[in-house]
Amino acid sequence: MDLARTEVAGRRRHAARLGLMALPVAFFGVFFAYPVAAIVARGLRVDGVWQLGRIADVLTQPDIRHVLWFTTWQALASTALTLLLALPAAYVFARFDFPGKQILRAVVTVPFVLPTVVVGTAFLALVGRGGLLDELWGLRLDTTVWAILLAHVFFNYAVVVRTVGGLWAQLDPRQEEAARMLGASRRRAWRTVTLPALGPAVAAATLMVFLFTFTSFGVVQILGGPAFSTLEVEIYRQTSEIFDLSTAAVLTLVQFAAVGAILALHAWTVRRRETALRLVDASGTARRPRGAGQWALLAGVLATIAVLLLLPLAVLVQRSLDAPGLGYYRALTSADGGVFLVPPIEAIGNSLSYAVVATAIAVLVGGLAAAALTRRDAGRFVRGFDALLMLPLGVSAVTVGFGFLIALDEPPLELRATWILVPLAQALVGVPFVVRTMLPVLRAVDHRLREAAAVLGASPWRVWREVDLPMVRRALLIAAGFAFAVSLGEFGATVFIARPDNPTLPVAVAKLLGRAGQLNYGQAMALSTILMVVCAVALLVLERLRTDRTGEF
């Protein structure tokens, strides 16, 4: 009887795993793989014949080779600069306890969830024509590589702080203390004990920063000018301005191959981090700084955060208030400027509505995928799907957006004229964050509890409701918050598919910045400030919900 029950439970688990994977596989197949394949096929097939020779033709063009070189070079430089400035902060947040730490931790994360368009706008207000540095010292850095590098550090600072700092806080400090008692110096103990333990987290953060900067679009589009172009910007230019789909298709394949290699390395480092470390409760590892050196380090980190993260945001707010009587904000209620078919203020409601729907889709799809990935009997296909879930973060959002217009314009998926297209594209970006947030908590649930419930006759749905859900409810809320924030700021795909009478906030900001005139510039600053405030409020709520067992990203 027990053997029969075990076999029945095994068949139920197998069926449940297939059921959990069905929706995520279908979602990514229809709304990611199919549109990307459609746009690539449209560019490389002529009269039904694949023009593979076009790949070599494109890659040998001097201007394309320059784009590839600049994309790689700026990503390496941005990653190195981010690590240099953010690793000390990771240590401070992991090991020091000081007033306002939790609020500051949320503030540090705000730039990461801001749309890249807003990041570019903030630095434009700081280093561009008429910006703060231009007014004070006549110094302009826009259309220079330094503006791009600093904006990338601003955007990715939190990746290093939360990924490396989150693990650093959980490392047992007694291991390093034991090495010191055996005669090792402080530097040698750190080099031989702590650094190897942090290696996987540093590697994972490095790869993630490189991925985000390698595929940078909004920042380079706004700050780079005509002199600088990354792969993502060039794909956008070839698609929307030159209408050369064959070149755009080749560049998409190059980016796809590079992102695939990065994600494979990232998956390997994450597996090492999960299996090779002995962790402790993070709440007991932080203490107040001791000695002049530690206080100086804390002061230096706080000064870096103030100058690098808070100053651009403060200048953004200040520029939005330049007009008397909140003039730029009041102008958002009028469509007289001719930039939009509707008043720009309506973009706020549009963005919030789209983000709510996108969050619901992302939580459903990502939650099912995370549940399938945590099963101990998951097959190789399921584990491989874990890496595929990250692809939307690296594959050109421009390609996805344009692919939506081409692939989803005929039965049975005639969605081009419907509003659902925007939240579907935003959900693609939100799903990886849901999976990465929920996986660590789901994996911490004792699998024997699930097996016992199944053996006693509980259905898979009841097992989830009574065993998993009470333990992951908080992680689910955090996952929903991250999905909402990143959906709110999605720009690369939305710029193609958002209708002129229903613009989102990032699209509205980009359109305002693209037109001359002080009023348009001021309205862009005002909309960016509104979007920043919404993202900041979401992050503060998330910080209150955060637990030490919850994934960082």
Side-chain angles (χ1 to χ4, degrees):
M1 180 66 70
D2 291 341
L3 180 61
R5 284 188 176 182
T6 302
E7 290 178 354
V8 171
R11 287 195 296 269
R12 284 184 174 180
R13 288 196 300 270
H14 180 71
R17 184 173 69 249
L18 294 179
L20 290 172
M21 288 299 299
L23 182 60
V25 169
F27 179 78
F28 274 83
V30 173
F31 298 114
F32 179 69
Y34 176 47
V36 171
I39 190 67
V40 171
R42 179 69 65 93
L44 293 181
R45 289 183 66 183
V46 178
D47 297 328
V49 179
W50 287 95
Q51 306 294 320
L52 299 182
R54 181 62 178 157
I55 297 177
D57 294 340
V58 170
L59 296 181
T60 55
Q61 295 177 14
D63 55 337
I64 297 299
R65 291 169 65 182
H66 175 74
V67 168
L68 293 174
W69 163 246
F70 176 73
T71 300
T72 305
W73 175 86
Q74 65 81 25
L76 290 171
S78 297
T79 302
L81 190 58
T82 302
L83 290 173
L84 178 65
L85 294 175
L87 281 176
Y91 173 78
V92 165
F93 278 97
R95 294 304 195 199
F96 291 172
D97 187 20
F98 53 90
K101 177 180 174 179
Q102 297 304 321
I103 295 178
L104 190 62
R105 181 186 174 94
V107 169
V108 165
T109 313
V110 168
F112 179 74
V113 298
L114 285 179
T116 53
V117 172
V118 176
V119 175
T121 305
F123 273 81
L124 195 65
L126 179 64
V127 303
R129 181 190 299 274
L132 180 64
L133 297 186
D134 190 17
E135 290 181 354
L136 294 178
W137 300 296
L139 178 63
R140 288 184 56 194
L141 295 178
D142 61 323
T143 69
T144 71
V145 72
W146 278 108
I148 295 173
L149 296 183
L150 291 175
H152 282 161
V153 175
F154 171 89
F155 183 76
N156 293 291
Y157 194 87
V159 176
V160 177
V161 170
R162 296 183 75 102
T163 302
V164 180
L167 179 63
W168 209 333
Q170 293 179 280
L171 292 182
D172 191 345
R174 292 174 296 184
Q175 296 177 351
E176 189 172 324
E177 292 170 0
R180 293 287 308 280
M181 292 180 63
L182 292 174
S185 64
R186 182 183 298 274
R187 179 174 299 179
R188 184 179 179 185
W190 185 86
R191 188 179 70 250
T192 58
V193 177
T194 304
L195 183 59
L198 287 175
V202 174
T206 300
L207 288 169
M208 289 302 294
V209 173
F210 184 84
L211 173 66
F212 291 136
T213 53
F214 186 83
T215 58
S216 181
F217 175 55
V219 167
V220 180
Q221 179 82 348
I222 292 175
L223 296 175
F228 301 106
S229 180
T230 57
L231 265 174
E232 187 86 354
V233 174
E234 189 63 22
I235 291 171
Y236 176 79
R237 192 174 73 90
Q238 295 288 342
T239 302
S240 64
E241 298 178 10
I242 303 177
F243 304 108
D244 187 349
L245 292 185
S246 63
T247 298
V250 171
L251 296 181
T252 297
L253 290 176
V254 171
Q255 189 179 50
F256 192 87
V259 168
I262 295 169
L263 291 179
L265 283 172
H266 178 263
W268 178 67
T269 58
V270 167
R271 283 196 299 271
R272 286 183 61 199
R273 184 175 65 176
E274 290 177 345
T275 59
L277 301 176
R278 198 183 87 187
L279 306 180
V280 297
D281 183 3
S283 61
T285 61
R287 55 176 173 75
R288 292 185 64 82
R290 301 173 184 171
Q294 292 187 356
W295 281 107
L297 176 60
L298 175 60
V301 167
L302 294 179
T304 301
I305 292 174
V307 173
L308 183 64
L309 304 186
L310 298 183
L311 181 59
L313 298 179
V315 174
L316 177 66
V317 175
Q318 184 267 325
R319 286 291 185 266
S320 74
L321 299 172
D322 272 352
L326 300 177
Y328 293 142
Y329 289 90
R330 291 164 55 193
L332 296 176
T333 61
S334 171
D336 294 340
V339 182
F340 304 102
L341 299 179
V342 295
I345 195 70
E346 292 192 12
I348 300 173
N350 296 336
S351 286
L352 293 174
S353 301
Y354 287 144
V356 168
V357 178
T359 299
I361 297 172
V363 168
L364 176 62
V365 175
L368 291 174
L373 292 170
T374 55
R375 292 184 173 268
R376 300 174 68 245
D377 55 349
R380 183 176 300 176
F381 169 74
V382 175
R383 290 192 296 269
F385 191 65
D386 186 13
L388 295 178
L389 289 171
M390 296 289 289
L391 280 177
L393 293 181
V395 173
S396 171
V398 171
T399 299
V400 174
F402 200 63
F404 268 37
L405 296 181
I406 292 176
L408 305 181
D409 192 32
E410 55 187 26
L413 295 171
E414 193 171 358
L415 303 176
R416 182 170 177 174
T418 64
W419 64 270
I420 195 65
L421 215 57
V422 173
L424 285 172
Q426 294 173 342
L428 281 172
V429 183
V431 167
F433 288 90
V434 173
V435 174
R436 294 269 75 81
T437 301
M438 294 190 66
L439 264 180
V441 181
L442 283 170
R443 285 173 175 164
V445 178
D446 191 340
H447 65 91
R448 291 172 296 184
L449 296 175
R450 300 189 186 104
E451 293 174 352
V455 169
L456 292 174
S459 66
W461 165 245
R462 188 175 180 185
V463 171
W464 162 257
R465 188 178 71 247
E466 297 188 5
V467 177
D468 292 76
L469 184 59
M471 298 184 182
V472 303
R473 184 180 291 111
R474 185 171 294 180
L476 188 64
L477 291 174
I478 293 174
F482 270 123
F484 178 81
V486 298
S487 298
L488 198 66
E490 203 288 322
F491 172 67
T494 307
V495 70
F496 277 93
I497 57 181
R499 293 165 53 181
D501 57 341
N502 286 291
T504 64
L505 277 169
V507 172
V509 170
K511 286 191 175 185
L512 287 167
L513 286 176
R515 292 176 64 94
Q518 185 63 31
L519 179 61
N520 290 322
Y521 176 83
Q523 290 183 89
M525 297 294 166
L527 279 180
S528 296
T529 301
I530 292 171
L531 187 50
M532 178 189 71
V533 170
V534 173
C535 291
V537 170
L539 258 294
L540 287 172
V541 173
L542 290 181
E543 192 61 30
R544 293 185 63 86
L545 292 172
R546 188 182 63 85
T547 64
D548 290 326
R549 289 190 306 168
T550 302
E552 295 297 340
F553 286 110

